[in-house]
Coordinates of all heavy atoms in Angstrom, one line a residue:
I301 N 42.6 5.1 94.0 CA 42.8 3.7 94.2 C 44.1 3.1 93.8 O 44.3 1.9 93.8 CB 41.6 2.9 93.6 CG1 41.6 3.1 92.1 CG2 40.2 3.3 94.2 CD1 40.6 2.2 91.4
G302 N 45.0 4.0 93.4 CA 46.3 3.5 92.9 C 46.5 3.2 91.5 O 47.5 2.8 91.0
S303 N 45.4 3.4 90.7 CA 45.5 3.1 89.3 C 44.3 3.9 88.6 O 43.3 4.3 89.3 CB 45.3 1.6 89.0 OG 44.0 1.2 89.1
P304 N 44.4 4.1 87.3 CA 43.2 4.7 86.6 C 42.0 3.7 86.7 O 42.2 2.5 87.0 CB 43.7 4.8 85.2 CG 45.2 4.8 85.2 CD 45.5 3.9 86.4
F305 N 40.8 4.2 86.4 CA 39.7 3.3 86.4 C 38.6 3.9 85.5 O 38.6 5.1 85.2 CB 39.2 3.0 87.8 CG 38.8 4.2 88.6 CD1 37.5 4.7 88.7 CD2 39.7 4.9 89.4 CE1 37.1 5.8 89.4 CE2 39.4 6.0 90.2 CZ 38.1 6.4 90.2
L306 N 37.7 3.0 85.1 CA 36.6 3.3 84.2 C 35.3 3.2 85.0 O 35.0 2.3 85.7 CB 36.6 2.4 83.0 CG 35.5 2.6 82.0 CD1 35.8 3.9 81.2 CD2 35.6 1.5 80.9
V307 N 34.4 4.3 84.9 CA 33.2 4.3 85.6 C 32.0 4.4 84.6 O 32.1 5.1 83.6 CB 33.1 5.6 86.5 CG1 31.8 5.6 87.4 CG2 34.3 5.6 87.5
M308 N 31.0 3.6 84.8 CA 29.9 3.6 83.9 C 28.6 3.3 84.6 O 28.6 2.8 85.8 CB 30.1 2.6 82.8 CG 30.1 1.1 83.3 SD 30.7 -0.1 82.0 CE 32.4 0.1 82.3
P309 N 27.4 3.6 84.0 CA 26.2 3.2 84.7 C 26.0 1.7 84.8 O 26.5 0.9 84.0 CB 25.1 3.8 83.7 CG 25.8 4.7 82.9 CD 27.2 4.3 82.8
R310 N 25.3 1.3 85.9 CA 24.9 -0.1 86.0 C 23.6 -0.3 85.4 O 22.6 0.4 85.8 CB 24.9 -0.5 87.5 CG 24.6 -2.0 87.7 CD 24.7 -2.4 89.1 NE 24.4 -3.8 89.3 CZ 24.4 -4.5 90.4 NH1 24.7 -3.8 91.6 NH2 24.1 -5.8 90.5
V311 N 23.5 -1.2 84.4 CA 22.2 -1.5 83.8 C 21.5 -2.6 84.4 O 22.1 -3.7 84.6 CB 22.5 -1.8 82.3 CG1 21.1 -2.1 81.6 CG2 23.2 -0.7 81.6
V312 N 20.3 -2.4 84.8 CA 19.5 -3.5 85.5 C 19.0 -4.5 84.4 O 18.5 -4.1 83.4 CB 18.3 -2.8 86.3 CG1 17.5 -3.9 86.9 CG2 18.8 -1.9 87.3
G313 N 19.1 -5.7 84.7 CA 18.6 -6.8 83.8 C 19.4 -8.1 84.1 O 20.0 -8.2 85.1
D314 N 19.2 -9.0 83.2 CA 19.8 -10.4 83.4 C 20.9 -10.6 82.4 O 20.8 -10.2 81.2 CB 18.7 -11.4 83.1 CG 17.5 -11.3 84.2 OD1 17.8 -11.3 85.4 OD2 16.4 -11.2 83.8
I315 N 21.9 -11.3 82.9 CA 23.1 -11.6 82.0 C 23.3 -13.1 82.0 O 23.5 -13.7 83.0 CB 24.4 -10.9 82.6 CG1 24.2 -9.4 82.6 CG2 25.6 -11.2 81.7 CD1 25.4 -8.6 83.3
P316 N 23.3 -13.7 80.8 CA 23.5 -15.1 80.7 C 24.9 -15.5 81.2 O 25.8 -14.7 81.2 CB 23.3 -15.4 79.2 CG 22.5 -14.3 78.7 CD 22.9 -13.1 79.5
G317 N 25.0 -16.8 81.5 CA 26.3 -17.3 81.9 C 27.2 -17.6 80.7 O 26.7 -17.5 79.5
P318 N 28.4 -18.1 80.9 CA 29.3 -18.3 79.8 C 29.0 -19.5 78.9 O 29.5 -19.6 77.8 CB 30.7 -18.5 80.5 CG 30.3 -19.0 81.9 CD 29.0 -18.3 82.2
A319 N 28.2 -20.5 79.4 CA 27.9 -21.7 78.6 C 26.4 -21.8 78.5 O 25.7 -22.3 79.3 CB 28.5 -22.9 79.3
P320 N 25.8 -21.2 77.4 CA 24.4 -21.2 77.2 C 23.7 -22.6 77.4 O 22.6 -22.6 77.9 CB 24.2 -20.6 75.9 CG 25.4 -19.8 75.6 CD 26.5 -20.5 76.3
F321 N 24.3 -23.6 76.9 CA 23.8 -24.9 76.9 C 23.4 -25.4 78.3 O 22.5 -26.2 78.5 CB 24.7 -25.9 76.2 CG 24.1 -27.3 76.0 CD1 22.9 -27.4 75.2 CD2 24.6 -28.4 76.5 CE1 22.4 -28.7 75.0 CE2 24.1 -29.7 76.3 CZ 23.0 -29.8 75.6
F322 N 24.2 -25.0 79.3 CA 24.0 -25.4 80.6 C 23.5 -24.3 81.6 O 23.2 -24.5 82.7 CB 25.3 -25.9 81.3 CG 25.8 -27.2 80.7 CD1 26.9 -27.2 79.9 CD2 25.1 -28.4 80.9 CE1 27.4 -28.4 79.4 CE2 25.5 -29.6 80.4 CZ 26.7 -29.6 79.6
D323 N 23.3 -23.1 81.0 CA 22.9 -22.0 81.8 C 21.4 -22.0 82.0 O 20.6 -21.9 81.0 CB 23.3 -20.6 81.2 CG 22.9 -19.4 81.9 OD1 22.6 -19.5 83.1 OD2 22.8 -18.4 81.3
P324 N 20.9 -22.1 83.3 CA 19.4 -22.2 83.5 C 18.7 -21.0 82.9 O 17.6 -21.2 82.4 CB 19.3 -22.2 85.0 CG 20.6 -22.7 85.5 CD 21.6 -22.2 84.5
Y325 N 19.3 -19.8 82.9 CA 18.6 -18.6 82.3 C 18.3 -18.8 80.8 O 17.2 -18.5 80.4 CB 19.4 -17.4 82.5 CG 18.9 -16.1 81.9 CD1 17.8 -15.5 82.6 CD2 19.4 -15.6 80.8 CE1 17.2 -14.4 82.0 CE2 18.8 -14.4 80.2 CZ 17.7 -13.8 80.8 OH 17.2 -12.7 80.3
V326 N 19.2 -19.5 80.1 CA 19.0 -19.7 78.7 C 18.3 -21.1 78.5 O 17.3 -21.1 77.8 CB 20.3 -19.7 78.0 CG1 20.1 -20.1 76.5 CG2 21.1 -18.4 78.1
R327 N 18.7 -22.1 79.2 CA 18.2 -23.4 79.0 C 16.7 -23.5 79.3 O 15.9 -24.1 78.5 CB 18.9 -24.4 79.9 CG 18.5 -25.9 79.7 CD 19.1 -26.7 80.8 NE 18.6 -26.2 82.2 CZ 19.3 -26.3 83.3 NH1 20.5 -26.7 83.3 NH2 18.7 -25.9 84.4
D328 N 16.3 -22.9 80.4 CA 14.9 -23.0 80.9 C 14.0 -22.0 80.2 O 12.7 -22.0 80.5 CB 14.8 -22.8 82.4 CG 15.6 -23.9 83.1 OD1 15.9 -25.0 82.5 OD2 15.9 -23.7 84.3
A329 N 14.5 -21.1 79.4 CA 13.7 -20.1 78.7 C 12.8 -20.7 77.7 O 11.7 -20.1 77.3 CB 14.6 -19.0 78.1
G330 N 13.2 -21.8 77.1 CA 12.4 -22.5 76.0 C 12.8 -21.9 74.7 O 13.5 -20.9 74.5
P331 N 12.5 -22.7 73.6 CA 13.0 -22.3 72.3 C 12.6 -21.0 71.8 O 13.4 -20.3 71.1 CB 12.4 -23.4 71.4 CG 12.1 -24.6 72.3 CD 11.8 -23.9 73.6
V332 N 11.4 -20.5 72.1 CA 10.9 -19.2 71.6 C 11.8 -18.1 72.1 O 12.3 -17.2 71.4 CB 9.5 -18.9 71.9 CG1 9.0 -17.5 71.5 CG2 8.6 -19.9 71.2
F333 N 12.0 -18.0 73.5 CA 12.8 -17.0 74.0 C 14.3 -17.2 73.7 O 15.1 -16.2 73.6 CB 12.6 -16.9 75.6 CG 11.4 -16.2 76.0 CD1 10.6 -16.7 77.0 CD2 11.1 -14.9 75.5 CE1 9.5 -15.9 77.4 CE2 10.1 -14.2 75.9 CZ 9.2 -14.7 76.9
Q334 N 14.7 -18.4 73.6 CA 16.1 -18.6 73.1 C 16.4 -18.0 71.7 O 17.4 -17.4 71.5 CB 16.4 -20.1 73.0 CG 16.5 -20.8 74.4 CD 16.5 -22.3 74.3 OE1 16.4 -22.9 73.3 NE2 16.6 -23.0 75.5
R335 N 15.4 -18.1 70.9 CA 15.5 -17.5 69.5 C 15.5 -16.0 69.6 O 16.3 -15.3 68.9 CB 14.3 -18.0 68.6 CG 14.4 -17.4 67.2 CD 15.7 -17.8 66.5 NE 15.7 -17.2 65.2 CZ 15.4 -17.9 64.0 NH1 15.0 -19.2 64.1 NH2 15.5 -17.3 62.8
V336 N 14.7 -15.4 70.5 CA 14.6 -14.0 70.7 C 16.0 -13.5 71.2 O 16.5 -12.5 70.6 CB 13.6 -13.6 71.7 CG1 13.7 -12.1 72.1 CG2 12.2 -13.9 71.2
M337 N 16.6 -14.2 72.1 CA 18.0 -13.8 72.6 C 19.0 -13.9 71.5 O 19.8 -13.0 71.3 CB 18.3 -14.6 73.8 CG 17.6 -14.3 75.0 SD 18.2 -15.1 76.5 CE 17.5 -16.7 76.3
H338 N 19.0 -15.0 70.8 CA 20.0 -15.2 69.7 C 19.9 -14.1 68.6 O 20.8 -13.6 68.1 CB 19.9 -16.6 69.2 CG 21.2 -17.0 68.4 ND1 21.4 -16.6 67.1 CD2 22.2 -17.7 68.8 CE1 22.6 -17.1 66.7 NE2 23.1 -17.8 67.7
D339 N 18.6 -13.9 68.2 CA 18.4 -12.9 67.2 C 18.8 -11.5 67.7 O 19.4 -10.7 66.9 CB 16.9 -12.8 66.8 CG 16.5 -14.0 65.9 OD1 17.3 -14.7 65.5 OD2 15.2 -14.1 65.7
G340 N 18.6 -11.2 69.0 CA 19.0 -10.0 69.6 C 20.6 -9.8 69.5 O 21.1 -8.7 69.3
L341 N 21.3 -10.9 69.7 CA 22.7 -10.9 69.6 C 23.2 -10.5 68.1 O 24.0 -9.7 67.9 CB 23.3 -12.2 70.0 CG 24.8 -12.4 69.8 CD1 25.6 -11.5 70.7 CD2 25.2 -13.9 70.0
I342 N 22.6 -11.2 67.2 CA 22.9 -10.9 65.8 C 22.6 -9.5 65.4 O 23.4 -8.8 64.7 CB 22.2 -11.9 64.8 CG1 22.7 -13.3 65.1 CG2 22.4 -11.6 63.4 CD1 24.1 -13.6 64.9
D343 N 21.4 -9.0 65.8 CA 21.1 -7.6 65.6 C 22.0 -6.6 66.2 O 22.3 -5.6 65.6 CB 19.6 -7.4 66.0 CG 18.6 -8.1 65.2 OD1 19.0 -8.7 64.2 OD2 17.4 -8.2 65.7
A344 N 22.5 -6.9 67.4 CA 23.4 -6.0 68.1 C 24.7 -6.0 67.3 O 25.3 -4.9 67.2 CB 23.7 -6.6 69.5
V345 N 25.2 -7.1 66.8 CA 26.4 -7.1 66.0 C 26.2 -6.2 64.8 O 27.1 -5.4 64.4 CB 26.8 -8.5 65.6 CG1 28.0 -8.5 64.6 CG2 27.2 -9.3 66.8
A346 N 25.1 -6.3 64.1 CA 24.8 -5.6 62.9 C 24.8 -4.1 63.2 O 25.3 -3.2 62.5 CB 23.5 -6.0 62.3
D347 N 24.2 -3.7 64.3 CA 24.1 -2.3 64.7 C 25.5 -1.7 65.1 O 25.8 -0.5 64.8 CB 23.1 -2.1 65.9 CG 21.7 -2.4 65.6 OD1 21.3 -2.4 64.4 OD2 20.9 -2.7 66.5
I348 N 26.3 -2.5 65.7 CA 27.6 -2.1 66.1 C 28.4 -1.8 64.8 O 29.1 -0.8 64.6 CB 28.3 -3.1 66.9 CG1 27.7 -3.1 68.3 CG2 29.9 -2.8 67.0 CD1 28.1 -4.4 69.1
H349 N 28.3 -2.7 63.8 CA 29.0 -2.6 62.5 C 28.5 -1.4 61.7 O 29.3 -0.9 60.9 CB 28.9 -3.9 61.7 CG 29.5 -5.0 62.3 ND1 29.4 -6.3 61.8 CD2 30.4 -5.2 63.4 CE1 30.2 -7.2 62.5 NE2 30.7 -6.5 63.4
A350 N 27.4 -0.8 62.0 CA 26.8 0.3 61.3 C 27.3 1.6 61.9 O 27.0 2.7 61.4 CB 25.3 0.3 61.3
V351 N 28.0 1.6 63.1 CA 28.4 2.8 63.7 C 29.5 3.5 62.8 O 30.4 2.9 62.3 CB 29.1 2.5 65.1 CG1 29.7 3.8 65.7 CG2 28.0 2.0 66.0
A352 N 29.3 4.8 62.6 CA 30.3 5.6 61.8 C 31.5 5.9 62.6 O 31.7 7.0 63.2 CB 29.6 6.9 61.4
W353 N 32.4 4.9 62.7 CA 33.6 5.0 63.6 C 34.5 6.1 63.2 O 35.2 6.7 64.1 CB 34.3 3.7 63.6 CG 34.8 3.2 62.2 CD1 34.1 2.4 61.3 CD2 36.0 3.4 61.6 NE1 34.8 2.2 60.2 CE2 36.0 2.8 60.4 CE3 37.2 4.2 62.0 CZ2 37.1 2.8 59.5 CZ3 38.3 4.2 61.1 CH2 38.2 3.6 59.9
E354 N 34.6 6.5 62.0 CA 35.5 7.6 61.6 C 35.0 8.9 62.1 O 35.7 9.7 62.7 CB 35.7 7.6 60.1 CG 36.5 6.5 59.5 CD 36.6 6.5 58.0 OE1 35.6 6.4 57.4 OE2 37.7 6.7 57.5
A355 N 33.7 9.1 61.9 CA 33.1 10.3 62.4 C 33.1 10.5 63.9 O 33.1 11.5 64.5 CB 31.6 10.4 61.9
R356 N 33.1 9.3 64.6 CA 33.2 9.3 66.1 C 34.6 9.3 66.6 O 34.7 9.3 67.8 CB 32.5 8.0 66.6 CG 31.0 7.9 66.2 CD 30.1 8.9 67.0 NE 28.7 8.9 66.6 CZ 27.8 9.7 67.1 NH1 28.2 10.6 68.0 NH2 26.6 9.6 66.7
G357 N 35.6 9.5 65.8 CA 37.0 9.6 66.2 C 37.6 8.4 66.8 O 38.5 8.5 67.6
L358 N 37.2 7.2 66.3 CA 37.7 6.0 66.9 C 38.9 5.5 66.1 O 39.6 4.5 66.5 CB 36.6 4.9 66.9 CG 35.4 5.2 67.8 CD1 34.4 4.1 67.7 CD2 35.8 5.4 69.2
G359 N 39.2 6.1 64.9 CA 40.3 5.6 64.1 C 41.6 5.5 64.8 O 42.4 4.6 64.6
A360 N 41.9 6.6 65.5 CA 43.3 6.7 66.2 C 43.3 5.9 67.5 O 44.4 5.7 68.1 CB 43.6 8.2 66.4
A361 N 42.1 5.5 68.0 CA 42.1 4.9 69.4 C 42.1 3.4 69.4 O 42.5 2.8 70.4 CB 40.8 5.4 70.1
L362 N 41.8 2.8 68.3 CA 41.6 1.4 68.2 C 42.6 0.7 67.4 O 43.0 1.2 66.3 CB 40.2 1.0 67.8 CG 39.0 1.5 68.7 CD1 37.7 1.1 68.1 CD2 39.2 0.8 70.1
P363 N 43.0 -0.5 67.7 CA 43.9 -1.3 66.8 C 43.1 -1.7 65.5 O 41.9 -1.8 65.6 CB 44.3 -2.5 67.6 CG 43.2 -2.7 68.6 CD 42.7 -1.3 68.9
G364 N 43.8 -2.0 64.5 CA 43.1 -2.4 63.3 C 44.1 -2.5 62.1 O 45.3 -2.8 62.3
G365 N 43.6 -2.2 61.0 CA 44.5 -2.2 59.8 C 44.2 -3.5 59.0 O 43.2 -4.2 59.1
Q366 N 45.2 -3.8 58.1 CA 45.0 -4.9 57.2 C 45.0 -6.2 58.0 O 45.7 -6.3 59.0 CB 46.1 -4.9 56.2 CG 46.1 -3.7 55.2 CD 47.2 -3.8 54.2 OE1 48.2 -4.3 54.4 NE2 46.9 -3.1 53.0
L367 N 44.3 -7.2 57.4 CA 44.3 -8.5 58.1 C 45.7 -9.1 58.3 O 45.9 -9.8 59.4 CB 43.4 -9.5 57.3 CG 41.9 -9.5 57.6 CD1 41.2 -10.5 56.7 CD2 41.7 -9.9 59.1

Side-chain angles (χ1 to χ4, degrees):
I301 58 174
S303 74
F305 57 94
L306 183 65
V307 184
M308 68 190 81
R310 183 175 181 181
V311 180
V312 177
D314 298 306
I315 301 176
F321 187 62
F322 290 112
D323 179 21
Y325 177 74
V326 178
R327 183 193 63 212
D328 299 342
V332 173
F333 276 135
Q334 290 168 359
R335 179 61 182 259
V336 170
M337 287 188 284
H338 197 281
D339 285 351
L341 173 67
I342 296 299
D343 292 347
V345 173
D347 291 341
I348 292 165
H349 291 173
V351 171
W353 57 271
E354 290 177 298
R356 297 290 177 182
L358 299 178
L362 296 176
Q366 296 182 334
L367 269 180

